[in-house]
Amino acid sequence: MAGEPDIETAAADLRLRLAHRLEEDGRLRSPQWRAAVEAVPRHVFLPRFYRESDTPGVTTWEPVTPETVGEDAWLRLVYTDETWMTQFDGHDIDWTDPKPISNATPTSSSTLPSLVIRMLEDLDVHDGMNVLEIGTGTGYSTALLCHRLGSGSVTSIETDEGVARRAREALIGSGYSPHLLVGDGRAGDPEGAPYDRLIATCGFRNIPPSWLEQVRPGGVILTTLRGWMRSLGLVKLIAAGDSASGWFSEDDPSFMIARQQQAPKNLGMVPGPDEGTVRKATHGPEALTDSGPAFMAQLAAPDARFFSMTVHGGRLSTFVLDSVTESFAVLTAADGGWEVRQGGRRRLWDAVESAVATWEEHGGPSSAAFGVTVSCDGQVVWLGNPSGPQWPLPS
């Protein structure tokens, strides 16, 4: 095994290569952030992690440590542009004897550097600004902020005590000393406010009102909005006191949803074969998976989730269940098309098809054609401009 000085030399070279790739791809655009990428030792924040196995069948993650794959392979993987998992189902991992993990939900990770840097560039920070980060995670993005602005200008909040403890140790070990808090990121940090910038590295179903109170007018709020079916995407809002407004980005990066806003474990009651009313459907299950229509489906049915299974007669059906309103829609292939059976307080598929029809009428625009307005009157996503078609975000 290579000695410690050799690790640091190899890591420094890998950081230079990573910075070069990010710059070539257009993610890394400024010399200040390039200097941060070249300086911050990602391997200190990822001493061990999990990667998805390529074994067919049930999704399985396998441990990656210097002991399991070798020091050189571990270090090379750390500095690839990949997201690596560091926690599942909110439980700490026993790294004394790590085992492959299946049937588990990732709950903490180190996000791929290209997305981290893209967001930090979009945050548009300047010397002297103070930043509130929601979601410390491994602490890697926190360290990048500290390198760029100085530790005294960075506050980061992590909801998980174990994750926060490991991040603190890695940050201190790397020479950074930001203000670290453990708690619900939706509450922000009123004692440190006002902030010039707020960045969230986990997804939220809406913009917490406390963020508006803690970001100074003209400041930036950068976060991903998402629902229980999928991510809506990255949105950049300009704060204006008791309101904020801004646009989605062209693409739709996805983050794990904030712990406090995770979907209920109970999907809702699966309807019986005779429940609901049946009609011919204009769109089938592809409206839940194709990029543009799925964006609209998430807006139209913010509390829904879906899955497919074989029902009576051997036909594959897609179930869309809303446990909040106790509504359902069941899509089944019929006569070369699709039929939908709906019931409950909302006609879920009517709402989805109406939203998709609006999207089609406007030429099937990308997410960048949509914006968000947050105010005391509510939170809405709009198409084209604030007076255009609107869909409320969940409260």
Side-chain angles (χ1 to χ4, degrees):
M1 182 176 289
E4 189 67 24
D6 293 331
I7 293 177
E8 297 307 321
T9 300
D13 180 64
L14 289 169
R15 288 198 295 276
L16 289 175
R17 296 184 188 185
L18 175 61
H20 181 69
R21 288 196 299 273
L22 296 179
E23 190 173 60
E24 279 193 327
D25 292 341
R27 299 292 189 177
L28 188 55
R29 306 189 297 271
S30 62
Q32 295 91 341
W33 286 119
R34 173 155 189 155
V37 172
E38 292 179 355
V40 174
R42 194 186 188 206
H43 65 283
V44 174
F45 298 89
L46 275 174
R48 56 193 75 85
F49 54 89
Y50 272 80
R51 63 178 172 181
E52 188 172 339
S53 169
D54 56 7
T55 304
V58 176
T59 300
T60 300
W61 287 270
E62 57 187 17
V64 176
T65 71
E67 293 75 26
T68 59
V69 301
E71 194 171 75
D72 291 341
W74 159 76
L75 198 61
R76 286 195 301 271
L77 287 170
V78 166
Y79 286 102
T80 56
D81 190 26
E82 297 285 349
T83 294
W84 301 122
M85 303 305 164
T86 54
Q87 188 191 64
F88 297 87
D89 296 326
H91 302 307
D92 287 348
I93 294 167
D94 180 7
W95 286 108
T96 61
D97 185 25
K99 304 291 186 184
I101 295 176
S102 302
N103 295 316
T105 301
T107 48
S108 191
S109 68
S110 181
T111 302
L112 67 163
S114 60
L115 177 53
V116 172
I117 287 299
R118 176 263 178 88
M119 290 181 67
L120 292 175
E121 291 276 15
D122 288 351
L123 196 61
D124 190 27
V125 299
H126 302 282
D127 292 347
M129 286 187 171
N130 62 335
V131 176
L132 176 60
E133 179 188 44
I134 310 299
T136 312
T138 63
Y140 176 66
S141 59
T142 317
L144 292 170
L145 281 164
C146 289
H147 190 277
R148 171 67 180 84
L149 296 170
S151 295
S153 296
V154 179
T155 298
S156 187
I157 304 175
E158 170 58 49
T159 192
D160 186 291
E161 291 187 4
V163 171
R165 182 184 67 255
R166 289 185 289 275
R168 184 185 299 276
E169 292 170 354
L171 284 160
I172 292 173
S174 301
Y176 302 110
S177 54
H179 185 209
L180 300 178
L181 301 172
V182 178
D184 185 346
R186 293 176 300 175
D189 173 37
E191 292 186 6
Y195 286 92
D196 299 294
R197 299 288 188 265
L198 185 152
I199 181 172
T201 58
C202 49
F204 287 85
R205 280 163 57 80
N206 51 34
I207 304 298
S210 61
W211 294 4
L212 298 182
E213 299 169 359
Q214 295 172 28
V215 176
R216 68 176 76 253
V220 172
I221 297 172
L222 189 68
T223 186
T224 50
L225 289 173
R226 65 162 304 137
W228 291 337
M229 289 192 290
R230 59 159 287 160
S231 174
L232 291 169
L234 181 67
V235 63
K236 182 176 181 178
L237 307 177
I238 306 301
D242 58 357
S243 66
S245 187
W247 296 85
F248 281 98
S249 65
E250 184 69 35
D251 52 2
D252 57 350
S254 179
F255 282 95
M256 299 172 190
I257 196 166
R259 298 273 182 99
Q260 294 79 9
Q261 293 189 333
Q262 288 177 337
K265 292 184 179 180
N266 182 9
L267 282 168
M269 186 67 69
V270 176
D274 299 322
E275 291 185 68
T277 57
V278 179
R279 67 167 175 84
K280 182 176 177 60
T282 304
H283 295 278
E286 76 282 349
L288 301 170
T289 55
D290 292 352
S291 180
F295 181 94
M296 304 308 301
Q298 181 60 75
L299 290 177
D303 300 319
R305 286 174 286 171
F306 69 93
F307 62 92
S308 297
M309 70 176 186
T310 301
V311 294
H312 302 291
R315 294 194 300 174
L316 184 67
S317 293
T318 296
F319 291 75
V320 185
L321 304 180
D322 185 329
S323 60
V324 175
T325 64
E326 298 180 333
S327 305
F328 67 86
V330 184
L331 293 153
T332 307
D335 300 325
W338 297 90
E339 68 177 23
V340 60
R341 179 163 52 90
Q342 303 180 87
R345 301 203 302 270
R346 289 194 72 205
R347 292 296 183 263
L348 288 178
W349 208 244
D350 289 2
V352 168
E353 290 191 335
S354 175
V356 173
T358 300
W359 177 76
E360 292 173 335
E361 289 166 6
H362 286 77
S366 72
S367 57
F370 292 81
V372 177
T373 295
V374 182
S375 70
C376 57
D377 296 325
Q379 304 189 21
V380 295
V381 173
W382 38 263
L383 174 58
N385 59 71
S387 61
Q390 295 184 350
W391 296 267
L393 290 172
S395 57

mmCIF file with all atom_site columns, all heavy atoms in Angstrom, residues 111-128:
data_model
loop_
_atom_site.group_PDB
_atom_site.id
_atom_site.type_symbol
_atom_site.label_atom_id
_atom_site.label_alt_id
_atom_site.label_comp_id
_atom_site.label_asym_id
_atom_site.label_entity_id
_atom_site.label_seq_id
_atom_site.pdbx_PDB_ins_code
_atom_site.Cartn_x
_atom_site.Cartn_y
_atom_site.Cartn_z
_atom_site.occupancy
_atom_site.B_iso_or_equiv
_atom_site.pdbx_formal_charge
_atom_site.auth_seq_id
_atom_site.auth_comp_id
_atom_site.auth_asym_id
_atom_site.auth_atom_id
_atom_site.pdbx_PDB_model_num
ATOM 1   N N   . THR A 1 111 ? -22.501 14.207 -3.883  1.00 0.00 ? 111 THR A N   1
ATOM 2   C CA  . THR A 1 111 ? -23.021 14.473 -5.221  1.00 0.00 ? 111 THR A CA  1
ATOM 3   C C   . THR A 1 111 ? -21.891 14.622 -6.225  1.00 0.00 ? 111 THR A C   1
ATOM 4   O O   . THR A 1 111 ? -20.804 15.108 -5.898  1.00 0.00 ? 111 THR A O   1
ATOM 5   C CB  . THR A 1 111 ? -23.867 15.756 -5.201  1.00 0.00 ? 111 THR A CB  1
ATOM 6   O OG1 . THR A 1 111 ? -24.917 15.588 -4.261  1.00 0.00 ? 111 THR A OG1 1
ATOM 7   C CG2 . THR A 1 111 ? -24.457 16.058 -6.567  1.00 0.00 ? 111 THR A CG2 1
ATOM 8   N N   . LEU A 1 112 ? -22.156 14.219 -7.483  1.00 0.00 ? 112 LEU A N   1
ATOM 9   C CA  . LEU A 1 112 ? -21.139 14.327 -8.513  1.00 0.00 ? 112 LEU A CA  1
ATOM 10  C C   . LEU A 1 112 ? -20.606 15.757 -8.605  1.00 0.00 ? 112 LEU A C   1
ATOM 11  O O   . LEU A 1 112 ? -21.373 16.723 -8.588  1.00 0.00 ? 112 LEU A O   1
ATOM 12  C CB  . LEU A 1 112 ? -21.660 13.854 -9.858  1.00 0.00 ? 112 LEU A CB  1
ATOM 13  C CG  . LEU A 1 112 ? -22.748 14.605 -10.603 1.00 0.00 ? 112 LEU A CG  1
ATOM 14  C CD1 . LEU A 1 112 ? -22.756 14.137 -12.067 1.00 0.00 ? 112 LEU A CD1 1
ATOM 15  C CD2 . LEU A 1 112 ? -24.133 14.367 -10.009 1.00 0.00 ? 112 LEU A CD2 1
ATOM 16  N N   . PRO A 1 113 ? -19.293 15.909 -8.671  1.00 0.00 ? 113 PRO A N   1
ATOM 17  C CA  . PRO A 1 113 ? -18.695 17.241 -8.634  1.00 0.00 ? 113 PRO A CA  1
ATOM 18  C C   . PRO A 1 113 ? -19.196 18.197 -9.707  1.00 0.00 ? 113 PRO A C   1
ATOM 19  O O   . PRO A 1 113 ? -19.288 19.402 -9.475  1.00 0.00 ? 113 PRO A O   1
ATOM 20  C CB  . PRO A 1 113 ? -17.197 16.943 -8.805  1.00 0.00 ? 113 PRO A CB  1
ATOM 21  C CG  . PRO A 1 113 ? -17.029 15.584 -8.212  1.00 0.00 ? 113 PRO A CG  1
ATOM 22  C CD  . PRO A 1 113 ? -18.282 14.842 -8.593  1.00 0.00 ? 113 PRO A CD  1
ATOM 23  N N   . SER A 1 114 ? -19.533 17.688 -10.902 1.00 0.00 ? 114 SER A N   1
ATOM 24  C CA  . SER A 1 114 ? -19.994 18.589 -11.957 1.00 0.00 ? 114 SER A CA  1
ATOM 25  C C   . SER A 1 114 ? -21.273 19.304 -11.561 1.00 0.00 ? 114 SER A C   1
ATOM 26  O O   . SER A 1 114 ? -21.466 20.493 -11.865 1.00 0.00 ? 114 SER A O   1
ATOM 27  C CB  . SER A 1 114 ? -20.203 17.832 -13.269 1.00 0.00 ? 114 SER A CB  1
ATOM 28  O OG  . SER A 1 114 ? -21.167 16.813 -13.120 1.00 0.00 ? 114 SER A OG  1
ATOM 29  N N   . LEU A 1 115 ? -22.185 18.618 -10.859 1.00 0.00 ? 115 LEU A N   1
ATOM 30  C CA  . LEU A 1 115 ? -23.414 19.254 -10.413 1.00 0.00 ? 115 LEU A CA  1
ATOM 31  C C   . LEU A 1 115 ? -23.141 20.206 -9.257  1.00 0.00 ? 115 LEU A C   1
ATOM 32  O O   . LEU A 1 115 ? -23.696 21.313 -9.193  1.00 0.00 ? 115 LEU A O   1
ATOM 33  C CB  . LEU A 1 115 ? -24.443 18.198 -10.003 1.00 0.00 ? 115 LEU A CB  1
ATOM 34  C CG  . LEU A 1 115 ? -25.765 18.714 -9.443  1.00 0.00 ? 115 LEU A CG  1
ATOM 35  C CD1 . LEU A 1 115 ? -26.413 19.718 -10.396 1.00 0.00 ? 115 LEU A CD1 1
ATOM 36  C CD2 . LEU A 1 115 ? -26.724 17.555 -9.160  1.00 0.00 ? 115 LEU A CD2 1
ATOM 37  N N   . VAL A 1 116 ? -22.276 19.802 -8.334  1.00 0.00 ? 116 VAL A N   1
ATOM 38  C CA  . VAL A 1 116 ? -21.915 20.682 -7.218  1.00 0.00 ? 116 VAL A CA  1
ATOM 39  C C   . VAL A 1 116 ? -21.345 21.999 -7.739  1.00 0.00 ? 116 VAL A C   1
ATOM 40  O O   . VAL A 1 116 ? -21.763 23.091 -7.347  1.00 0.00 ? 116 VAL A O   1
ATOM 41  C CB  . VAL A 1 116 ? -20.907 19.989 -6.280  1.00 0.00 ? 116 VAL A CB  1
ATOM 42  C CG1 . VAL A 1 116 ? -20.378 20.972 -5.238  1.00 0.00 ? 116 VAL A CG1 1
ATOM 43  C CG2 . VAL A 1 116 ? -21.545 18.784 -5.598  1.00 0.00 ? 116 VAL A CG2 1
ATOM 44  N N   . ILE A 1 117 ? -20.389 21.892 -8.664  1.00 0.00 ? 117 ILE A N   1
ATOM 45  C CA  . ILE A 1 117 ? -19.737 23.087 -9.193  1.00 0.00 ? 117 ILE A CA  1
ATOM 46  C C   . ILE A 1 117 ? -20.702 23.909 -10.035 1.00 0.00 ? 117 ILE A C   1
ATOM 47  O O   . ILE A 1 117 ? -20.711 25.152 -9.966  1.00 0.00 ? 117 ILE A O   1
ATOM 48  C CB  . ILE A 1 117 ? -18.495 22.686 -10.011 1.00 0.00 ? 117 ILE A CB  1
ATOM 49  C CG1 . ILE A 1 117 ? -17.388 22.226 -9.066  1.00 0.00 ? 117 ILE A CG1 1
ATOM 50  C CG2 . ILE A 1 117 ? -18.014 23.836 -10.877 1.00 0.00 ? 117 ILE A CG2 1
ATOM 51  C CD1 . ILE A 1 117 ? -16.928 23.308 -8.096  1.00 0.00 ? 117 ILE A CD1 1
ATOM 52  N N   . ARG A 1 118 ? -21.526 23.238 -10.827 1.00 0.00 ? 118 ARG A N   1
ATOM 53  C CA  . ARG A 1 118 ? -22.513 23.964 -11.632 1.00 0.00 ? 118 ARG A CA  1
ATOM 54  C C   . ARG A 1 118 ? -23.400 24.821 -10.735 1.00 0.00 ? 118 ARG A C   1
ATOM 55  O O   . ARG A 1 118 ? -23.697 25.991 -11.015 1.00 0.00 ? 118 ARG A O   1
ATOM 56  C CB  . ARG A 1 118 ? -23.337 22.965 -12.435 1.00 0.00 ? 118 ARG A CB  1
ATOM 57  C CG  . ARG A 1 118 ? -24.481 23.597 -13.252 1.00 0.00 ? 118 ARG A CG  1
ATOM 58  C CD  . ARG A 1 118 ? -25.792 23.489 -12.472 1.00 0.00 ? 118 ARG A CD  1
ATOM 59  N NE  . ARG A 1 118 ? -26.903 24.098 -13.143 1.00 0.00 ? 118 ARG A NE  1
ATOM 60  C CZ  . ARG A 1 118 ? -27.678 23.458 -14.017 1.00 0.00 ? 118 ARG A CZ  1
ATOM 61  N NH1 . ARG A 1 118 ? -27.411 22.216 -14.340 1.00 0.00 ? 118 ARG A NH1 1
ATOM 62  N NH2 . ARG A 1 118 ? -28.715 24.074 -14.540 1.00 0.00 ? 118 ARG A NH2 1
ATOM 63  N N   . MET A 1 119 ? -23.858 24.250 -9.599  1.00 0.00 ? 119 MET A N   1
ATOM 64  C CA  . MET A 1 119 ? -24.717 24.995 -8.685  1.00 0.00 ? 119 MET A CA  1
ATOM 65  C C   . MET A 1 119 ? -23.961 26.137 -8.007  1.00 0.00 ? 119 MET A C   1
ATOM 66  O O   . MET A 1 119 ? -24.493 27.241 -7.844  1.00 0.00 ? 119 MET A O   1
ATOM 67  C CB  . MET A 1 119 ? -25.329 24.053 -7.647  1.00 0.00 ? 119 MET A CB  1
ATOM 68  C CG  . MET A 1 119 ? -26.361 23.102 -8.220  1.00 0.00 ? 119 MET A CG  1
ATOM 69  S SD  . MET A 1 119 ? -27.097 22.023 -6.956  1.00 0.00 ? 119 MET A SD  1
ATOM 70  C CE  . MET A 1 119 ? -28.005 23.210 -5.947  1.00 0.00 ? 119 MET A CE  1
ATOM 71  N N   . LEU A 1 120 ? -22.718 25.876 -7.618  1.00 0.00 ? 120 LEU A N   1
ATOM 72  C CA  . LEU A 1 120 ? -21.939 26.934 -6.977  1.00 0.00 ? 120 LEU A CA  1
ATOM 73  C C   . LEU A 1 120 ? -21.661 28.077 -7.951  1.00 0.00 ? 120 LEU A C   1
ATOM 74  O O   . LEU A 1 120 ? -21.684 29.256 -7.565  1.00 0.00 ? 120 LEU A O   1
ATOM 75  C CB  . LEU A 1 120 ? -20.633 26.362 -6.435  1.00 0.00 ? 120 LEU A CB  1
ATOM 76  C CG  . LEU A 1 120 ? -20.779 25.386 -5.256  1.00 0.00 ? 120 LEU A CG  1
ATOM 77  C CD1 . LEU A 1 120 ? -19.434 24.796 -4.879  1.00 0.00 ? 120 LEU A CD1 1
ATOM 78  C CD2 . LEU A 1 120 ? -21.427 26.072 -4.048  1.00 0.00 ? 120 LEU A CD2 1
ATOM 79  N N   . GLU A 1 121 ? -21.414 27.770 -9.209  1.00 0.00 ? 121 GLU A N   1
ATOM 80  C CA  . GLU A 1 121 ? -21.250 28.815 -10.213 1.00 0.00 ? 121 GLU A CA  1
ATOM 81  C C   . GLU A 1 121 ? -22.555 29.599 -10.375 1.00 0.00 ? 121 GLU A C   1
ATOM 82  O O   . GLU A 1 121 ? -22.552 30.834 -10.443 1.00 0.00 ? 121 GLU A O   1
ATOM 83  C CB  . GLU A 1 121 ? -20.828 28.202 -11.551 1.00 0.00 ? 121 GLU A CB  1
ATOM 84  C CG  . GLU A 1 121 ? -19.427 27.625 -11.590 1.00 0.00 ? 121 GLU A CG  1
ATOM 85  C CD  . GLU A 1 121 ? -18.354 28.683 -11.877 1.00 0.00 ? 121 GLU A CD  1
ATOM 86  O OE1 . GLU A 1 121 ? -18.650 29.888 -11.776 1.00 0.00 ? 121 GLU A OE1 1
ATOM 87  O OE2 . GLU A 1 121 ? -17.213 28.287 -12.196 1.00 0.00 ? 121 GLU A OE2 1
ATOM 88  N N   . ASP A 1 122 ? -23.690 28.882 -10.431 1.00 0.00 ? 122 ASP A N   1
ATOM 89  C CA  . ASP A 1 122 ? -24.991 29.543 -10.581 1.00 0.00 ? 122 ASP A CA  1
ATOM 90  C C   . ASP A 1 122 ? -25.346 30.397 -9.369  1.00 0.00 ? 122 ASP A C   1
ATOM 91  O O   . ASP A 1 122 ? -26.139 31.344 -9.480  1.00 0.00 ? 122 ASP A O   1
ATOM 92  C CB  . ASP A 1 122 ? -26.096 28.503 -10.802 1.00 0.00 ? 122 ASP A CB  1
ATOM 93  C CG  . ASP A 1 122 ? -26.038 27.875 -12.180 1.00 0.00 ? 122 ASP A CG  1
ATOM 94  O OD1 . ASP A 1 122 ? -25.259 28.367 -13.032 1.00 0.00 ? 122 ASP A OD1 1
ATOM 95  O OD2 . ASP A 1 122 ? -26.756 26.876 -12.417 1.00 0.00 ? 122 ASP A OD2 1
ATOM 96  N N   . LEU A 1 123 ? -24.778 30.069 -8.219  1.00 0.00 ? 123 LEU A N   1
ATOM 97  C CA  . LEU A 1 123 ? -25.079 30.820 -6.999  1.00 0.00 ? 123 LEU A CA  1
ATOM 98  C C   . LEU A 1 123 ? -24.566 32.260 -7.086  1.00 0.00 ? 123 LEU A C   1
ATOM 99  O O   . LEU A 1 123 ? -25.073 33.140 -6.384  1.00 0.00 ? 123 LEU A O   1
ATOM 100 C CB  . LEU A 1 123 ? -24.472 30.101 -5.796  1.00 0.00 ? 123 LEU A CB  1
ATOM 101 C CG  . LEU A 1 123 ? -24.966 30.489 -4.414  1.00 0.00 ? 123 LEU A CG  1
ATOM 102 C CD1 . LEU A 1 123 ? -26.462 30.230 -4.254  1.00 0.00 ? 123 LEU A CD1 1
ATOM 103 C CD2 . LEU A 1 123 ? -24.192 29.734 -3.342  1.00 0.00 ? 123 LEU A CD2 1
ATOM 104 N N   . ASP A 1 124 ? -23.572 32.469 -7.935  1.00 0.00 ? 124 ASP A N   1
ATOM 105 C CA  . ASP A 1 124 ? -23.078 33.825 -8.217  1.00 0.00 ? 124 ASP A CA  1
ATOM 106 C C   . ASP A 1 124 ? -22.625 34.544 -6.944  1.00 0.00 ? 124 ASP A C   1
ATOM 107 O O   . ASP A 1 124 ? -23.100 35.636 -6.621  1.00 0.00 ? 124 ASP A O   1
ATOM 108 C CB  . ASP A 1 124 ? -24.170 34.644 -8.932  1.00 0.00 ? 124 ASP A CB  1
ATOM 109 C CG  . ASP A 1 124 ? -23.644 35.969 -9.468  1.00 0.00 ? 124 ASP A CG  1
ATOM 110 O OD1 . ASP A 1 124 ? -22.444 36.054 -9.764  1.00 0.00 ? 124 ASP A OD1 1
ATOM 111 O OD2 . ASP A 1 124 ? -24.442 36.930 -9.557  1.00 0.00 ? 124 ASP A OD2 1
ATOM 112 N N   . VAL A 1 125 ? -21.696 33.928 -6.227  1.00 0.00 ? 125 VAL A N   1
ATOM 113 C CA  . VAL A 1 125 ? -21.190 34.550 -5.000  1.00 0.00 ? 125 VAL A CA  1
ATOM 114 C C   . VAL A 1 125 ? -20.079 35.528 -5.326  1.00 0.00 ? 125 VAL A C   1
ATOM 115 O O   . VAL A 1 125 ? -19.418 35.436 -6.367  1.00 0.00 ? 125 VAL A O   1
ATOM 116 C CB  . VAL A 1 125 ? -20.674 33.497 -3.999  1.00 0.00 ? 125 VAL A CB  1
ATOM 117 C CG1 . VAL A 1 125 ? -21.784 32.553 -3.591  1.00 0.00 ? 125 VAL A CG1 1
ATOM 118 C CG2 . VAL A 1 125 ? -19.487 32.734 -4.575  1.00 0.00 ? 125 VAL A CG2 1
ATOM 119 N N   . HIS A 1 126 ? -19.870 36.473 -4.424  1.00 0.00 ? 126 HIS A N   1
ATOM 120 C CA  . HIS A 1 126 ? -18.788 37.444 -4.540  1.00 0.00 ? 126 HIS A CA  1
ATOM 121 C C   . HIS A 1 126 ? -18.101 37.557 -3.183  1.00 0.00 ? 126 HIS A C   1
ATOM 122 O O   . HIS A 1 126 ? -18.683 37.227 -2.142  1.00 0.00 ? 126 HIS A O   1
ATOM 123 C CB  . HIS A 1 126 ? -19.321 38.807 -4.980  1.00 0.00 ? 126 HIS A CB  1
ATOM 124 C CG  . HIS A 1 126 ? -20.048 38.765 -6.290  1.00 0.00 ? 126 HIS A CG  1
ATOM 125 N ND1 . HIS A 1 126 ? -19.406 38.717 -7.503  1.00 0.00 ? 126 HIS A ND1 1
ATOM 126 C CD2 . HIS A 1 126 ? -21.391 38.731 -6.567  1.00 0.00 ? 126 HIS A CD2 1
ATOM 127 C CE1 . HIS A 1 126 ? -20.298 38.671 -8.480  1.00 0.00 ? 126 HIS A CE1 1
ATOM 128 N NE2 . HIS A 1 126 ? -21.516 38.672 -7.941  1.00 0.00 ? 126 HIS A NE2 1
ATOM 129 N N   . ASP A 1 127 ? -16.877 38.011 -3.194  1.00 0.00 ? 127 ASP A N   1
ATOM 130 C CA  . ASP A 1 127 ? -16.115 38.167 -1.956  1.00 0.00 ? 127 ASP A CA  1
ATOM 131 C C   . ASP A 1 127 ? -16.916 38.992 -0.947  1.00 0.00 ? 127 ASP A C   1
ATOM 132 O O   . ASP A 1 127 ? -17.545 39.994 -1.305  1.00 0.00 ? 127 ASP A O   1
ATOM 133 C CB  . ASP A 1 127 ? -14.782 38.864 -2.232  1.00 0.00 ? 127 ASP A CB  1
ATOM 134 C CG  . ASP A 1 127 ? -13.842 38.007 -3.053  1.00 0.00 ? 127 ASP A CG  1
ATOM 135 O OD1 . ASP A 1 127 ? -14.112 36.807 -3.192  1.00 0.00 ? 127 ASP A OD1 1
ATOM 136 O OD2 . ASP A 1 127 ? -12.846 38.555 -3.576  1.00 0.00 ? 127 ASP A OD2 1
ATOM 137 N N   . GLY A 1 128 ? -16.885 38.555 0.304   1.00 0.00 ? 128 GLY A N   1
ATOM 138 C CA  . GLY A 1 128 ? -17.581 39.272 1.368   1.00 0.00 ? 128 GLY A CA  1
ATOM 139 C C   . GLY A 1 128 ? -18.997 38.812 1.621   1.00 0.00 ? 128 GLY A C   1
ATOM 140 O O   . GLY A 1 128 ? -19.615 39.217 2.608   1.00 0.00 ? 128 GLY A O   1
#
